[in-house]
Every structure is written in C-alpha cells, then in structure tokens.
Amino acid sequence: MEIDTAAPLARQASEHLAAHGPLARAIPGFSERRVQREMAEQVAEAIEQGATQLVEAGTGTGKTMAYLLPAVLSGKRTVVSTGTKNLQDQLYQRDLPRLLAALGMPVQTALLKGRANYLCRYRLKQAADQPGQDSGRILSLRQFMEASESGELADYGKLADNDPLRPRVTSTADNCLGTRCPDFDDCFVFAARRRALDADLVVVNHHLLFADFAVREAGFSEILPGAEIVIVDEAHQLPDLAASAFGQRLSTRQLSELSRDLRRMHALADYPELGDTLQRLVDLCAAMESELGALEGRTAWQRLRLQAGVESLISDTAEVLELLATQMEHSRMADDEEGRRLSERCQEHLSVLAAFLDPTSDNPSNEETGHDHDRTDGEYTPATVVSGEMVRWAEPLGWGGALCASPADISAAYRRAAAGHPGAWIYVSATLSVNGRFDLFRGQLGLPPEARESVLPPVFDYEAQCRLWVPEGLPAPGGDQHTRALLNAVLPALEASDGGAFLLMTTHRAVKEAAAILRADGRFPLFVQSEDDRARLLRGFSEAGHGVLIGAASFWEGVDVPGDALRMVVIDKLPFAPPDDPVVEARRERIERDGGNPFMEYQLPQAILALRQGVGRLIRSESDRGLLVLGDPRVLSARYGAKVLRALPAMPRLAHPEDVLSFARSLRPGSPQ
C-alpha cells in the first residue's frame, strides 16, 4: 500500500495501520484493528488542530502505536509521559524502535528518568573516600562510571532499588548541588536532560512531567518548552499525582539523609556544638519514625496533633533545624557548596514544618514560590506551593512516615500549568470515564470545556470470554466475617479452576487475613503482597500456573498476565476510599459547600474507576477466558449497584453455584471449552 504523504495526518495514520500498510509488513504478528485505526485518526486530528483529546481505550486496542504513529508522522516535537519506569522502558526499548524501523524515519529520541536512576559522580567519589564494607562494590561502580555513557544504574544491573548503597551513590533533589557541583559538566543527569532537549520525541514519567510543571531549576532546563504535542498515557493516575505535585511533603527519610550527609562533613569535628545539635536531630527523627510509622494510613493533621507529644515533637524538630542552619552559617561548613546546600536543606525542611505548626502561614497571594532544585524522584517538596485551602495529613512511609499538604482542589493549579505549554494534549487510559462520562476526570484537572472526548469500543468479546459471579449470602463488607465468608464461597470455584487467581483486596488487613486462610487450606501456591517484591511475585505466579496471588492497591493496575496462568479475578469489595481519609474528607466538604452530592459526584465514580482497573487484569488477549468474582453484595442490593454493573464490560452473570463450578472447571488449562 502506497501512503499519500500529502494526505491529512489522520488519513496517513489510519493507512499505516491497515492490513497491508507499512506496519503490517514490518512488524511480525501485526494485525489490523479497526479500533486502533479509529484512535489514531482521533489523535492525529487533535495534533493537527492543537486540541485537547481524552481517549478511553481498553486493553488490546494497541493504543501505544495509535498515539505514537501520528505523533511521529507529524514531525512535531513530542513528549510522552507514562505511569512507571517499567512502562517507560517498554515504550522506549520495544514499541518505539519497532515503529521507527517500520517507518524508516530518522527521528531523534530520548529516555529521561528521575535522578535516582543515574549514578552521581560527586557522591560516588565521596563514598569512595569513606572506608567500609562496600569498598569493593564502590570500586566496581567507579569502573562502571568510567565506561558508561549514560550512567544509568539499570545498565549496571547489580544494585537493587532498596540497596542501602544506592542513596550513597545517587543524588536526590535535596542533596544535588546543581550548577554549583564540581562535576556538573560531566553530570549524567544533566547529560540526559540535554539529550532530551535535543530530541524530537522524549519519553518521561508522570513524576518528571509534574516536576517540569513546577520547577524552574537553575542549570537543568525544562522538558516541555518547545514541545508541540504532550501525550499522557495511564492518564487516570494524574489527579492523585497532581495532589502531591502541587503540595508539600517532608519525610523522615529526608531528615535521615540530611543527618547522614551532615555527618560526612569533615569540618564537623571542629564544631562540637554542631555535632550535639545534629545528634538531637537524629534522636528526634527516630522518634518521628516511630510515631508516623505506627499510623494505619493517612491521618488528618488535626487529629494527629491531638495525640500526646506529637506537636511538640514537630516543634522540637523545627527548632533543631533552625539551630543547625544558624550554626552552619557561622562555621567553616558554609564555605563550600555542599555546606551551603546543607544549610539550604535545613531551611527548606523547616518551612514545611512551619506550615504544619502555623496553618496561617499558607501563601495568601496565589503566587508561586520556588527553590532551585526539582523533585523528580517521588520524594519531593515541589517548588510550586498552591495557596488556598490546604489539606494536611501524615502517613506511614517505609520505615517511618511523611508529613504532607495538598490543595483540596488542584484543578486551577493544573489548568494554569498545562496552559503554560500550548499545543496538543492527548490523555489516554483504559479508565477515564464512568458510564461514558468524563466529568470526574475533567473536573479534577480543570480541563478546558472544548476538550474532546472519545470512548472506544472494547476489542475483546467479554460476553464470550468472561462470566461474572456475585456470591449470595455474603455479610456486609467491612465486617469482621466478610473476608472469611468470601473465601469460603470462592474456595470451591478455586478448586474447580485449579487456582490461577488474583485476589484483589481493598485493605492490607484483608490481604493478611486471606493469606492466612488459604495458607491453612494448603491447596495452592501463594504469592502474597509484602512477602516479596512485586516483580518476583508476578513471575512466580505466572510460572506456577495454578497459584493464587493476593494483593492490595498496587496490584489493581499495571499488571499484565495474559494466558492460562490467570483465569479468575476475585475482588473483595467496591474500592471506596476510606471515608476518614483527610483528602477525601476535604473534597467531600468542598462538594457539599457547592451544593453537590459528594457520594454520587466523587466517591462512587472514583470507586468505579478503581474497580474497572482491577477488572481489567482478567482479560489481556483475544484468547483469554476468565471468571470475575465480586464479593460485594451492594452491587445487587444498593440503589447505585446498577450503575456499578453498567460500568463494567458486558458479560453474562452466573447465579447458580453449579454453573459457577462448571465454568470454573472449563478454565483449567487443557480443559474443553
């Protein structure tokens, strides 16, 4: 098929995806999909008109090629943002090279990740100056540094994300010296950003996208200026990420790293009073880790500060940070760039604590305030602090916790940030709408009223490939007996299908309870969240073939297990956000003040979107078959239940236990269908 390069972009994109087009000829296994061509046409039209386009496209659409193809054909500078590093790698190392090879077009591309993914020359040299048990590995890293062009630790391959050595040899937004670093000219992060600025198409993740919104970092140029197209994949993640990006955050990890970096300063020995103050910070950080690490989840600051000693603990920490900054300014430690940066870090952390101790300190002028250093590693206090109604809370994090603040409504902040980068904005996800309406997503981000919407039809035949079962007689969700009753109902079906199931739970407590019940039963290999890392759990589940994986929120999306290994998904209950979550409370109050119905306008739509993500784990290819089990009787009894069921892919519902067992048996690998 000859492509008319003078034809409109939408027609060119569609023809490239046709059965006899260039992609079919060049990519093994490529097949024409009508829905993919439709999506490519819509994206192409938005690109040509510089419009905002929302596209909901389910699994199997081929949406990556559908948005990459028109972007590349347009010749315009493009930024593609994905949800995770794994998706970045998949897009950049697999999908994009296939497309470019098929097109035969000379397109300069770049992959840009957060700074924690790159070796820091300056900090590695410092680590090498400190004797210890890691000296052999540090020598190996130095050899890697000298040979590597990118400095990306994924290429080194022998340093896990949770390895204690990693923070010693990488930089964070807190400790990076930026243009003041003696190794700045050879900085791997700066080199990666420079390559990104020179590229026609840049692949980033959402954290970097928001950092680019918020920061004007000295020496580190922005990603978005000059981009005529911004494509946001997994766009359903944006509202929650925006709440963090346009707020403030201070973790016990940041305080611990500040203490550790201060201890490394050679001049510290000359100032015993500074050493005493630093020890006070170490002790206070340990106390804060204990206090915040014991929290069950997000806890509103108004409630937390009523607990004995919490507010004084925060106040004492602020006092020590202020004293540290003062002592450093009057010492030799402030004579070099690292010492000055350490003093700045004390002041930055102090400003976050001050906002908790004095809520009236919110900036009332609607103006932006900035620091010189961005926060691109998910552990940051962004440069832009949005004024107005702020929600404050604390939450457990790792071994400790974090103090967080976020605007109750981020729509105005997001709208301003996106408007600063004109061009085509394409938002893509499998879950953006609720029963065909994008109201929640549009409202959360303040998207322009002229933004276009499209819900593409599903590629898979859910009526033929799936069955839905809502077990009868289950107790109300939230009660002590719900998880056990659900497992008792599901176990016969699990035995009939010989395992091969995801149990997606809404709380970590339910994960532990379900694991204990199934472990006592002993019939299936178990893969339980928190007992191993996510990648190994998924690999073990896939290889076992008859295992049961039990997980909470992080397994509801971004998990792809096509084929026979996954043939049943059990969801314990509708994933409503906890009603006492401080962010949920603030948004409820805001909707009520505006005369709305917070349950119908916010809580229910949010739960439906999350539910659809979980349901989406079941069918990942045209040949998959599976049983979906919803363990929440409210989908049949509550007034809103019909709305929930309508939002799911249309599939037959099984009511009789014998029909459930018969279908489950048909799912066993090798069974006649």
Side-chain angles (χ1 to χ4, degrees), residues 87-105:
L87 288 173
Q88 271 187 281
D89 289 335
Q90 177 180 306
L91 193 155
Y92 189 78
Q93 295 170 9
R94 188 192 71 181
D95 300 330
L96 192 53
R98 286 180 180 176
L99 174 63
L100 296 181
L103 296 177
M105 293 178 63

PDB file of all heavy atoms in Angstrom, residues 87-105:
ATOM      1  N   LEU A  87       6.971   0.955  32.290  1.00  0.00           N
ATOM      2  CA  LEU A  87       6.258   1.330  31.069  1.00  0.00           C
ATOM      3  C   LEU A  87       7.131   2.209  30.179  1.00  0.00           C
ATOM      4  O   LEU A  87       7.083   2.108  28.952  1.00  0.00           O
ATOM      5  CB  LEU A  87       4.959   2.046  31.419  1.00  0.00           C
ATOM      6  CG  LEU A  87       3.844   1.167  31.992  1.00  0.00           C
ATOM      7  CD1 LEU A  87       2.677   2.031  32.452  1.00  0.00           C
ATOM      8  CD2 LEU A  87       3.378   0.147  30.962  1.00  0.00           C
ATOM      9  N   GLN A  88       7.925   3.084  30.804  1.00  0.00           N
ATOM     10  CA  GLN A  88       8.874   3.882  30.027  1.00  0.00           C
ATOM     11  C   GLN A  88       9.808   2.984  29.220  1.00  0.00           C
ATOM     12  O   GLN A  88      10.016   3.187  28.019  1.00  0.00           O
ATOM     13  CB  GLN A  88       9.739   4.737  30.960  1.00  0.00           C
ATOM     14  CG  GLN A  88       9.196   6.097  31.311  1.00  0.00           C
ATOM     15  CD  GLN A  88      10.223   6.883  32.091  1.00  0.00           C
ATOM     16  OE1 GLN A  88      10.400   6.673  33.291  1.00  0.00           O
ATOM     17  NE2 GLN A  88      10.900   7.789  31.431  1.00  0.00           N
ATOM     18  N   ASP A  89      10.395   2.010  29.909  1.00  0.00           N
ATOM     19  CA  ASP A  89      11.349   1.122  29.253  1.00  0.00           C
ATOM     20  C   ASP A  89      10.682   0.335  28.129  1.00  0.00           C
ATOM     21  O   ASP A  89      11.252   0.160  27.047  1.00  0.00           O
ATOM     22  CB  ASP A  89      11.963   0.159  30.267  1.00  0.00           C
ATOM     23  CG  ASP A  89      12.926   0.855  31.221  1.00  0.00           C
ATOM     24  OD1 ASP A  89      13.475   1.902  30.834  1.00  0.00           O
ATOM     25  OD2 ASP A  89      13.122   0.355  32.347  1.00  0.00           O
ATOM     26  N   GLN A  90       9.462  -0.148  28.380  1.00  0.00           N
ATOM     27  CA  GLN A  90       8.750  -0.921  27.367  1.00  0.00           C
ATOM     28  C   GLN A  90       8.478  -0.069  26.130  1.00  0.00           C
ATOM     29  O   GLN A  90       8.684  -0.512  24.988  1.00  0.00           O
ATOM     30  CB  GLN A  90       7.434  -1.434  27.944  1.00  0.00           C
ATOM     31  CG  GLN A  90       6.565  -2.192  26.948  1.00  0.00           C
ATOM     32  CD  GLN A  90       5.264  -2.667  27.579  1.00  0.00           C
ATOM     33  OE1 GLN A  90       5.255  -3.331  28.606  1.00  0.00           O
ATOM     34  NE2 GLN A  90       4.149  -2.301  26.967  1.00  0.00           N
ATOM     35  N   LEU A  91       8.050   1.156  26.364  1.00  0.00           N
ATOM     36  CA  LEU A  91       7.730   2.031  25.249  1.00  0.00           C
ATOM     37  C   LEU A  91       8.993   2.407  24.477  1.00  0.00           C
ATOM     38  O   LEU A  91       9.022   2.368  23.245  1.00  0.00           O
ATOM     39  CB  LEU A  91       7.032   3.287  25.784  1.00  0.00           C
ATOM     40  CG  LEU A  91       6.331   4.205  24.780  1.00  0.00           C
ATOM     41  CD1 LEU A  91       5.224   4.979  25.489  1.00  0.00           C
ATOM     42  CD2 LEU A  91       7.299   5.181  24.137  1.00  0.00           C
ATOM     43  N   TYR A  92      10.056   2.747  25.212  1.00  0.00           N
ATOM     44  CA  TYR A  92      11.261   3.268  24.564  1.00  0.00           C
ATOM     45  C   TYR A  92      12.112   2.163  23.937  1.00  0.00           C
ATOM     46  O   TYR A  92      12.717   2.364  22.883  1.00  0.00           O
ATOM     47  CB  TYR A  92      12.098   4.042  25.587  1.00  0.00           C
ATOM     48  CG  TYR A  92      13.257   4.791  24.968  1.00  0.00           C
ATOM     49  CD1 TYR A  92      13.037   5.996  24.300  1.00  0.00           C
ATOM     50  CD2 TYR A  92      14.554   4.297  25.034  1.00  0.00           C
ATOM     51  CE1 TYR A  92      14.082   6.691  23.717  1.00  0.00           C
ATOM     52  CE2 TYR A  92      15.607   4.981  24.448  1.00  0.00           C
ATOM     53  CZ  TYR A  92      15.365   6.178  23.793  1.00  0.00           C
ATOM     54  OH  TYR A  92      16.403   6.858  23.211  1.00  0.00           O
ATOM     55  N   GLN A  93      12.160   1.013  24.590  1.00  0.00           N
ATOM     56  CA  GLN A  93      13.066  -0.037  24.129  1.00  0.00           C
ATOM     57  C   GLN A  93      12.391  -1.051  23.208  1.00  0.00           C
ATOM     58  O   GLN A  93      13.071  -1.783  22.493  1.00  0.00           O
ATOM     59  CB  GLN A  93      13.677  -0.756  25.338  1.00  0.00           C
ATOM     60  CG  GLN A  93      14.552   0.148  26.166  1.00  0.00           C
ATOM     61  CD  GLN A  93      14.978  -0.479  27.489  1.00  0.00           C
ATOM     62  OE1 GLN A  93      14.752  -1.668  27.731  1.00  0.00           O
ATOM     63  NE2 GLN A  93      15.579   0.311  28.354  1.00  0.00           N
ATOM     64  N   ARG A  94      11.034  -1.113  23.215  1.00  0.00           N
ATOM     65  CA  ARG A  94      10.351  -2.084  22.371  1.00  0.00           C
ATOM     66  C   ARG A  94       9.441  -1.416  21.343  1.00  0.00           C
ATOM     67  O   ARG A  94       9.632  -1.555  20.139  1.00  0.00           O
ATOM     68  CB  ARG A  94       9.536  -3.061  23.234  1.00  0.00           C
ATOM     69  CG  ARG A  94       8.950  -4.234  22.449  1.00  0.00           C
ATOM     70  CD  ARG A  94       7.925  -4.998  23.273  1.00  0.00           C
ATOM     71  NE  ARG A  94       6.696  -4.241  23.458  1.00  0.00           N
ATOM     72  CZ  ARG A  94       5.645  -4.684  24.161  1.00  0.00           C
ATOM     73  NH1 ARG A  94       5.703  -5.861  24.765  1.00  0.00           N
ATOM     74  NH2 ARG A  94       4.553  -3.948  24.276  1.00  0.00           N
ATOM     75  N   ASP A  95       8.443  -0.664  21.806  1.00  0.00           N
ATOM     76  CA  ASP A  95       7.421  -0.133  20.904  1.00  0.00           C
ATOM     77  C   ASP A  95       7.971   0.919  19.941  1.00  0.00           C
ATOM     78  O   ASP A  95       7.716   0.872  18.734  1.00  0.00           O
ATOM     79  CB  ASP A  95       6.260   0.462  21.713  1.00  0.00           C
ATOM     80  CG  ASP A  95       5.587  -0.571  22.609  1.00  0.00           C
ATOM     81  OD1 ASP A  95       5.592  -1.756  22.231  1.00  0.00           O
ATOM     82  OD2 ASP A  95       5.063  -0.193  23.667  1.00  0.00           O
ATOM     83  N   LEU A  96       8.708   1.874  20.480  1.00  0.00           N
ATOM     84  CA  LEU A  96       9.210   2.958  19.647  1.00  0.00           C
ATOM     85  C   LEU A  96      10.209   2.474  18.586  1.00  0.00           C
ATOM     86  O   LEU A  96      10.094   2.859  17.410  1.00  0.00           O
ATOM     87  CB  LEU A  96       9.821   4.045  20.541  1.00  0.00           C
ATOM     88  CG  LEU A  96      10.159   5.385  19.894  1.00  0.00           C
ATOM     89  CD1 LEU A  96       8.960   5.962  19.152  1.00  0.00           C
ATOM     90  CD2 LEU A  96      10.652   6.370  20.957  1.00  0.00           C
ATOM     91  N   PRO A  97      11.181   1.626  18.936  1.00  0.00           N
ATOM     92  CA  PRO A  97      12.091   1.127  17.887  1.00  0.00           C
ATOM     93  C   PRO A  97      11.370   0.355  16.785  1.00  0.00           C
ATOM     94  O   PRO A  97      11.722   0.473  15.607  1.00  0.00           O
ATOM     95  CB  PRO A  97      13.053   0.212  18.666  1.00  0.00           C
ATOM     96  CG  PRO A  97      13.028   0.725  20.060  1.00  0.00           C
ATOM     97  CD  PRO A  97      11.626   1.203  20.274  1.00  0.00           C
ATOM     98  N   ARG A  98      10.359  -0.440  17.149  1.00  0.00           N
ATOM     99  CA  ARG A  98       9.595  -1.167  16.131  1.00  0.00           C
ATOM    100  C   ARG A  98       8.918  -0.207  15.166  1.00  0.00           C
ATOM    101  O   ARG A  98       8.933  -0.399  13.948  1.00  0.00           O
ATOM    102  CB  ARG A  98       8.533  -2.050  16.796  1.00  0.00           C
ATOM    103  CG  ARG A  98       9.070  -3.300  17.476  1.00  0.00           C
ATOM    104  CD  ARG A  98       7.906  -4.060  18.083  1.00  0.00           C
ATOM    105  NE  ARG A  98       8.327  -5.279  18.759  1.00  0.00           N
ATOM    106  CZ  ARG A  98       7.510  -6.074  19.435  1.00  0.00           C
ATOM    107  NH1 ARG A  98       6.223  -5.772  19.513  1.00  0.00           N
ATOM    108  NH2 ARG A  98       7.962  -7.169  20.029  1.00  0.00           N
ATOM    109  N   LEU A  99       8.319   0.831  15.726  1.00  0.00           N
ATOM    110  CA  LEU A  99       7.609   1.797  14.893  1.00  0.00           C
ATOM    111  C   LEU A  99       8.577   2.523  13.963  1.00  0.00           C
ATOM    112  O   LEU A  99       8.324   2.646  12.752  1.00  0.00           O
ATOM    113  CB  LEU A  99       6.863   2.804  15.769  1.00  0.00           C
ATOM    114  CG  LEU A  99       6.184   3.952  15.031  1.00  0.00           C
ATOM    115  CD1 LEU A  99       5.099   3.437  14.104  1.00  0.00           C
ATOM    116  CD2 LEU A  99       5.610   4.968  16.020  1.00  0.00           C
ATOM    117  N   LEU A 100       9.678   3.007  14.512  1.00  0.00           N
ATOM    118  CA  LEU A 100      10.622   3.774  13.704  1.00  0.00           C
ATOM    119  C   LEU A 100      11.258   2.909  12.626  1.00  0.00           C
ATOM    120  O   LEU A 100      11.513   3.373  11.505  1.00  0.00           O
ATOM    121  CB  LEU A 100      11.689   4.400  14.605  1.00  0.00           C
ATOM    122  CG  LEU A 100      11.174   5.435  15.616  1.00  0.00           C
ATOM    123  CD1 LEU A 100      12.321   6.007  16.429  1.00  0.00           C
ATOM    124  CD2 LEU A 100      10.409   6.548  14.914  1.00  0.00           C
ATOM    125  N   ALA A 101      11.513   1.635  12.949  1.00  0.00           N
ATOM    126  CA  ALA A 101      12.073   0.731  11.944  1.00  0.00           C
ATOM    127  C   ALA A 101      11.071   0.508  10.815  1.00  0.00           C
ATOM    128  O   ALA A 101      11.441   0.446   9.630  1.00  0.00           O
ATOM    129  CB  ALA A 101      12.461  -0.597  12.587  1.00  0.00           C
ATOM    130  N   ALA A 102       9.786   0.391  11.182  1.00  0.00           N
ATOM    131  CA  ALA A 102       8.754   0.177  10.157  1.00  0.00           C
ATOM    132  C   ALA A 102       8.596   1.401   9.268  1.00  0.00           C
ATOM    133  O   ALA A 102       8.368   1.286   8.055  1.00  0.00           O
ATOM    134  CB  ALA A 102       7.427  -0.163  10.829  1.00  0.00           C
ATOM    135  N   LEU A 103       8.719   2.591   9.869  1.00  0.00           N
ATOM    136  CA  LEU A 103       8.538   3.817   9.102  1.00  0.00           C
ATOM    137  C   LEU A 103       9.791   4.207   8.330  1.00  0.00           C
ATOM    138  O   LEU A 103       9.710   4.920   7.318  1.00  0.00           O
ATOM    139  CB  LEU A 103       8.149   4.972  10.040  1.00  0.00           C
ATOM    140  CG  LEU A 103       6.811   4.842  10.773  1.00  0.00           C
ATOM    141  CD1 LEU A 103       6.609   6.023  11.707  1.00  0.00           C
ATOM    142  CD2 LEU A 103       5.665   4.744   9.785  1.00  0.00           C
ATOM    143  N   GLY A 104      10.947   3.774   8.824  1.00  0.00           N
ATOM    144  CA  GLY A 104      12.204   4.166   8.192  1.00  0.00           C
ATOM    145  C   GLY A 104      12.458   5.656   8.287  1.00  0.00           C
ATOM    146  O   GLY A 104      13.068   6.257   7.397  1.00  0.00           O
ATOM    147  N   MET A 105      12.001   6.274   9.400  1.00  0.00           N
ATOM    148  CA  MET A 105      12.144   7.719   9.552  1.00  0.00           C
ATOM    149  C   MET A 105      13.268   8.045  10.530  1.00  0.00           C
ATOM    150  O   MET A 105      13.400   7.398  11.572  1.00  0.00           O
ATOM    151  CB  MET A 105      10.828   8.331  10.056  1.00  0.00           C
ATOM    152  CG  MET A 105       9.688   8.243   9.066  1.00  0.00           C
ATOM    153  SD  MET A 105       8.143   8.936   9.730  1.00  0.00           S
ATOM    154  CE  MET A 105       8.617  10.658   9.983  1.00  0.00           C
TER     155      MET A 105
END
